[in-house]
Amino acid sequence: RETWQYFKDSLTEENNYLPPDNYQIGRKEKFVNRTSSTNIGLAMLAVISSYDLKYETKEYEYDESDLTGLHIAKSIGLDPDMVFKTLVARADKTPYVVFCIPCAYELDLKKCARMTGNKRIELVAVKELLPLTGYIRGGCSPIGMKKHFPTFIDETALLFDKITVSAGVRGCQLILSPEDLIRYTNAQ
């Protein structure tokens, strides 16, 4: 209960919904306004645990110069079709939309615009990702974003018992059933 209270108290708009790197208790309780990727991942894992999702994590050595899903698939020894990347787009009617697609594929923006009821969409710039989602490039997960956005998961996910998505930090993937991911994200 104290752990949940910590997240309830610390994940505020003032802190960009990111857990602080250091919480100090003394004469005056206070949050230090910085965070680490470890705490971002911890917050995301706390969120999915509260939804009773069954998942495993798989860690890998990430390469700053190669943050591709193909590198991740090779590193963790999985078929690239099972490794899903999370892409965030800005739309003209719905402000933002999230897509989860197999890492080897590219997003067809025109098709996605039609599918989502928009005339036009474009991927958000990398510099917008952290303030918008709470995640950085190479560690963006459809789970635990700062706000819930309409989410679309490629139908090929249902061909597998388990797929992987980022665990919210570089170097760690979540392995879970596509049905659980769809249910949690309320995906289409």
Side-chain angles (χ1 to χ4, degrees):
R1 290 183 187 183
E2 289 178 22
T3 301
W4 297 119
Q5 190 62 46
Y6 167 78
F7 286 108
K8 183 178 178 183
D9 292 344
S10 67
L11 300 178
T12 64
E13 186 173 357
E14 179 183 328
N15 291 324
N16 292 321
Y17 300 99
L18 299 172
D21 192 39
N22 190 356
Y23 179 68
Q24 300 175 356
I25 300 174
R27 289 185 163 185
K28 179 181 177 188
E29 293 184 8
K30 69 177 188 172
F31 289 106
V32 177
N33 289 322
R34 64 179 186 265
T35 194
S36 69
S37 57
T38 302
N39 283 351
I40 293 170
L42 178 61
M44 197 269 297
L45 293 175
V47 167
I48 65 172
S49 294
S50 71
Y51 276 81
D52 199 28
L53 295 180
K54 293 172 180 39
Y55 67 92
E56 301 169 49
T57 58
K58 183 80 170 180
E59 293 185 25
Y60 61 94
E61 287 291 324
Y62 71 89
D63 179 355
E64 196 75 38
S65 65
D66 185 5
L67 297 173
T68 65
L70 293 173
H71 172 77
I72 295 168
K74 184 178 178 183
S75 296
I76 62 177
L78 287 178
D79 178 346
D81 288 343
M82 297 173 66
V83 178
F84 280 65
K85 60 184 173 183
T86 303
L87 303 170
V88 182
R90 178 181 296 101
D92 60 345
K93 293 182 183 174
T94 55
Y96 296 98
V97 186
V98 175
F99 298 95
C100 292
I101 63 171
C103 68
Y105 299 131
E106 296 293 321
L107 207 54
D108 180 336
L109 295 175
K110 288 182 181 181
K111 184 178 177 182
C112 290
R114 284 190 306 274
M115 180 178 64
T116 61
N118 289 283
K119 289 184 180 179
R120 186 173 163 272
I121 64 170
E122 63 186 11
L123 294 179
V124 299
V126 172
K127 67 180 180 183
E128 296 175 72
L129 201 56
L130 179 61
L132 181 64
T133 66
Y135 296 124
I136 59 173
R137 179 178 179 265
C140 188
S141 179
I143 298 173
M145 287 189 180
K146 288 166 54 170
K147 288 185 172 183
H148 176 77
F149 301 113
T151 302
F152 297 83
I153 299 174
D154 190 276
E155 64 189 0
T156 60
L158 295 171
L159 299 174
F160 302 98
D161 292 333
K162 304 256 184 199
I163 61 169
T164 78
V165 295
S166 175
V169 292
R170 293 175 180 167
C172 190
Q173 290 288 109
L174 284 179
I175 302 172
L176 71 167
S177 77
E179 293 84 5
D180 278 350
L181 182 61
I182 290 166
R183 179 175 52 89
Y184 174 81
T185 59
N186 199 24
Q188 300 181 22

